[in-house]
Amino acid sequence: MLATLWLVSLSLPMLWAQKLINCPYKNVCQYALLSGNDVILQCNNHKAQWYFYSSLEDKLSLLNSMPNVKILPGSNLQLPNPQPSQTGLYRCLDDHKTRVVEYDIDFQDIALLHITHKELGQKPMENETMNLGGQVLVFTHWDPWQDCNRCEKPGERKRLGYCYVEEPLGKPIPCWLYLREEKVTHSRLRPELQLQACKVPCDTSTETNQPYFIFDTHQEDKTKDHMWLSCPLASIYR
Ligand SMILES: *[C@@H]1O[C@H](CO)[C@@H](O)[C@H](O)[C@H]1NC(C)=O
């Protein structure tokens, strides 16, 4: 009985712990995201099939049978631990093979993340013009600041910034959707994370007693000078 209760409470946070990506019916939406953090692409059509067009390999494939993705009830597509190689077009078609929604997604490499802290006087990267077969502007498109990690006491908050390219008179495009199969490495072509100090009052309506679970216990290995701790429901988007 205790074990069942534990499982039920574990499966509930699993869903809200993931970033949901949506797009209006019949539209094509473009997103820059970060690799290594789970996302769910919404389709909301019960007889849908997902296709993936890799912009890196110039190849179209049916996703329903791929090992690294999961089709959830309602045909929403779960991408656990997405990699930069999964950058491309995700197309959801109904049973008449017409488009329900389409996502053009750039999974920017989290290993390239440029991290700065405002209070340490560290500056984010500046706009830079580059020659990528023509003069383009490379800049960081920032998400809004996320919530402060504590209340009443001094805390920190973060925001994510994605690499975008803008041609003169063109609209901005996430860097690796712009570059496609082109292999360009340049120190400006990176996503960013910025940290800032914050202090906010406690909002008692949202500060309800949060339950927590012990997933694992770990004995520190004194022979090694470093160790990895994994946080099962963590996401960089929150
Ligand atoms: C960098 O470029 C973006 C996109 O054109 C623009 O919105 C932003 O104001 C620029 N930032 C600076 C500091 O020039």
Side-chain angles (χ1 to χ4, degrees):
M1 183 59 196
L2 204 60
T4 338
L5 270 181
W6 199 70
L7 276 180
V8 169
S9 21
L10 268 186
S11 59
L12 284 177
M14 289 299 176
L15 266 184
W16 63 250
Q18 316 218 20
K19 187 173 171 74
L20 288 176
I21 312 291
N22 52 47
C23 182
Y25 182 56
K26 290 207 177 292
N27 279 46
V28 183
C29 298
Q30 195 169 68
Y31 285 98
L33 295 166
L34 282 173
S35 69
N37 287 268
D38 298 10
V39 292
I40 293 175
L41 308 185
Q42 296 198 292
C43 178
N44 293 324
N45 181 298
H46 283 272
K47 287 182 181 161
Q49 285 203 308
W50 282 92
Y51 289 85
F52 173 59
Y53 173 76
S54 165
S55 53
L56 307 169
E57 288 172 40
D58 194 12
K59 191 176 88 180
L60 185 78
S61 45
L62 180 66
L63 274 182
N64 292 50
S65 53
M66 301 281 268
N68 54 346
V69 303
K70 196 172 162 202
I71 314 275
L72 302 177
S75 293
N76 294 329
L77 183 72
Q78 183 180 34
L79 297 167
N81 190 21
Q83 297 304 301
S85 60
Q86 283 168 273
T87 291
L89 206 60
Y90 291 82
R91 186 176 292 156
C92 182
L93 302 181
D94 67 13
D95 49 349
H96 299 109
K97 295 270 175 274
T98 53
R99 182 172 77 204
V100 185
V101 280
E102 201 164 299
Y103 297 90
D104 208 6
I105 299 193
D106 182 359
F107 286 110
Q108 306 199 342
D109 191 352
I110 197 148
L112 299 177
L113 204 59
H114 181 258
I115 303 172
T116 50
H117 200 305
K118 256 191 163 171
E119 267 57 50
L120 297 178
Q122 297 165 340
K123 298 261 186 312
M125 291 186 289
E126 285 176 2
N127 287 0
E128 194 171 320
T129 48
M130 281 175 59
N131 197 331
L132 298 173
Q135 287 286 74
V136 294
L137 178 76
V138 180
F139 70 101
T140 297
H141 177 82
W142 293 99
D143 269 355
W145 286 101
Q146 297 176 6
D147 291 339
C148 198
N149 65 347
R150 329 172 67 173
C151 62
E152 225 72 72
K153 305 182 183 86
E156 276 181 340
R157 58 180 192 165
K158 64 183 188 300
R159 62 173 181 166
L160 299 170
Y162 301 97
C163 177
Y164 271 73
V165 168
E166 190 176 59
E167 281 182 349
L169 309 174
K171 82 175 191 18
I173 298 175
C175 291
W176 288 271
L177 289 178
Y178 181 86
L179 292 167
R180 303 274 158 193
E181 67 273 22
E182 208 113 355
K183 302 261 181 291
V184 184
T185 46
H186 186 288
S187 59
R188 182 60 187 83
L189 298 171
R190 305 165 70 176
E192 291 196 75
L193 185 145
Q194 193 181 22
L195 290 152
Q196 186 185 47
C198 53
K199 193 173 174 193
V200 295
C202 291
D203 175 357
T204 44
S205 62
T206 60
E207 302 293 324
T208 49
N209 264 334
Q210 300 282 349
Y212 67 90
F213 308 98
I214 296 169
F215 283 83
D216 201 1
T217 52
H218 196 83
Q219 187 79 44
E220 191 190 348
D221 183 354
K222 296 230 166 48
T223 60
K224 292 200 185 117
D225 58 0
H226 65 275
M227 66 186 283
W228 283 97
L229 296 177
S230 68
C231 183
L233 300 177
S235 167
I236 203 158
Y237 301 115
R238 275 182 278 116

